[in-house]
Amino acid sequence: MNVDPNPISLRPLAVPTSSRVGFGVEIVNVDIENLTDDDFATIREALYRKDVVVLKNQGLLSPKSQYELTQRFDPAAEGYGHGKTLDAKRSVLHPDLKTVPHQPQVQVIGNGFVSSYEGLQDIKLVHPHHKKFHKYPIPEADDLKYTRFFRWHIDAALYDLHPPRITSLLAVSVPKGRRQILRYDDNSGEELEVPLGTTAFVSGYNMYNILSEEDKKFARTSMVEYAPHPYIWMSPAKSRSDGLGLYCDGTELPESELPPIDKAKIKVLPMVWKNPVTGQLALQIHPSAVRKIHLADGTVIEDLEKVRQIVHDLQRPAISPQYVYPHDWEEGDLVLFNNHGVLHSVVGAFTEQEVRLFRQCNMAASEPPLGPNFVVA
């Protein structure tokens, strides 16, 4: 890319005066194709201190360079963050991603028909729509005016593979012009005006910090066990209207209907993950994939409805509108986010004619997340 000869510079993200979002930074004048060690160090420091980094004007970035930048945060990482789970036709992730043939760690996501892109031919991209996942969707007549958080999550396989340290998202083609009202529809009355097709972010650090002292102790001393093959396991289940976890209707697939399970690959992770640079604690739980909670005294909560309610009660305060950053995508935006410190959600409802084309990359981490007792040097 052609960049300004000035050195790279950082500036805070623009948020409304009513917002209490305390994370995020925009960086300009970055040549990722020729990234120096000093410039990467600046980006890495910004990522772990601000959690969401927006690199502007990166529309010409190659998939190879996107992969190389993503891997630079974890040089020992090798494969895509979800491994081969995308091959399972029953996975809730399957319809949403297409793999770049010459760079298999990079996925193409979006909406609409694309005749040719990076070796992919005649692809139909499907933007995840809440009506396919939520138990009580917004009525069809209101669908383009109103929207929902589709599914709050961490990018992670949560079976066998460690959660990626970061994810990179590149906006190649972005429909513009409309905004939508995001409804929580959880009896709170909360709403949030958002750009069309935004990606919504919330801070796991804030999610932890606003808990009561009692809940902080509970979170620091508890572990979450995730379901085996979670995205297949959850496929028949339906989401709450706030996108934060699932209803308990007994529809999850039994183990007998899942792919073969290796008990050693089931993930049991801390509820709270530590930032490797600042030492801050983040409440990092994938609410739709949780199966059990392991308490400090060795007790295991196995009642799925109770597990989901506990997790929802812990996480819900931090997705209120004042804490949400809905990114207003521009073509060429490359967003890096700390996958060990934020949760995010797809948002929006498109018409078939509104073509949206993005590239996503994340790598299964070489090591597990840092627990709350890890000592940061």
Side-chain angles (χ1 to χ4, degrees), residues 27 53 110 132 139 156 182 188 236 247:
I27 304 183
V53 173
K132 296 180 180 179
L182 186 146
S188 67
Y247 282 99

Side-chain angles (χ1 to χ4, degrees), residues 168-326:
S168 62
L169 275 176
L170 175 67
V172 178
S173 178
V174 180
K176 300 294 288 186
R178 288 197 294 120
R179 294 180 71 84
Q180 294 180 296
I181 302 298
L182 186 146
R183 300 196 328 208
Y184 286 66
D185 286 336
D186 61 355
N187 297 318
S188 67
E190 291 185 322
E191 295 183 340
L192 178 66
E193 186 181 52
V194 295
L196 178 65
T198 185
T199 304
F201 296 93
V202 293
S203 168
Y205 304 105
N206 179 65
M207 191 173 278
Y208 173 79
N209 288 337
I210 64 176
L211 293 176
S212 68
E213 291 304 314
E214 180 181 2
D215 284 344
K216 285 180 182 177
K217 182 178 180 181
F218 175 84
R220 286 196 309 272
T221 58
S222 299
M223 307 278 285
V224 171
E225 180 177 329
Y226 290 97
H229 304 290
Y231 302 102
I232 300 173
W233 170 79
M234 73 172 74
S235 59
K238 295 298 181 181
S239 174
R240 292 174 180 259
S241 295
D242 58 12
L244 196 66
L246 305 175
Y247 282 99
C248 281
D249 295 325
T251 55
E252 296 79 13
L253 293 179
E255 290 190 359
S256 61
E257 295 184 24
L258 296 177
I261 297 169
D262 182 342
K263 298 293 185 183
K265 294 180 179 180
I266 293 175
K267 287 296 180 186
V268 181
L269 298 174
M271 281 190 176
V272 172
W273 301 359
K274 181 170 284 190
N275 186 302
V277 171
T278 67
Q280 289 181 290
L281 300 181
L283 183 64
Q284 288 294 104
I285 306 170
H286 191 313
S288 296
V290 295
R291 180 61 191 87
K292 302 176 184 178
I293 295 175
H294 295 242
L295 304 181
D297 64 2
T299 303
V300 179
I301 302 175
E302 299 192 30
D303 183 310
L304 185 56
E305 186 169 8
K306 184 175 182 181
V307 167
R308 285 175 172 164
Q309 191 61 52
I310 289 171
V311 170
H312 190 269
D313 289 348
L314 291 172
Q315 293 185 310
R316 176 58 180 86
I319 69 163
S320 283
Q322 68 269 30
Y323 298 125
V324 178
Y325 171 64

Side-chain angles (χ1 to χ4, degrees), residues 65-135:
S65 293
Q66 182 179 356
Y67 156 68
E68 290 174 345
L69 173 62
T70 306
Q71 191 191 37
R72 203 161 176 174
F73 287 86
D74 188 359
E78 295 182 357
Y80 178 58
H82 282 275
K84 295 182 179 180
T85 57
L86 295 181
D87 295 338
K89 301 294 185 183
R90 293 178 296 166
S91 169
V92 296
L93 303 178
H94 173 72
D96 303 339
L97 302 103
K98 309 290 183 186
T99 300
V100 173
H102 58 88
Q103 198 66 63
Q105 302 87 352
V106 178
Q107 312 296 318
V108 174
I109 58 177
N111 185 76
F113 178 78
V114 178
S115 59
S116 179
Y117 183 72
E118 295 292 349
L120 294 165
Q121 302 295 323
D122 297 329
I123 56 173
K124 184 177 181 180
L125 300 173
V126 180
H127 185 74
H129 193 295
H130 81 273
K131 69 183 178 184
K132 296 180 180 179
F133 188 57
H134 288 207
K135 186 172 182 178

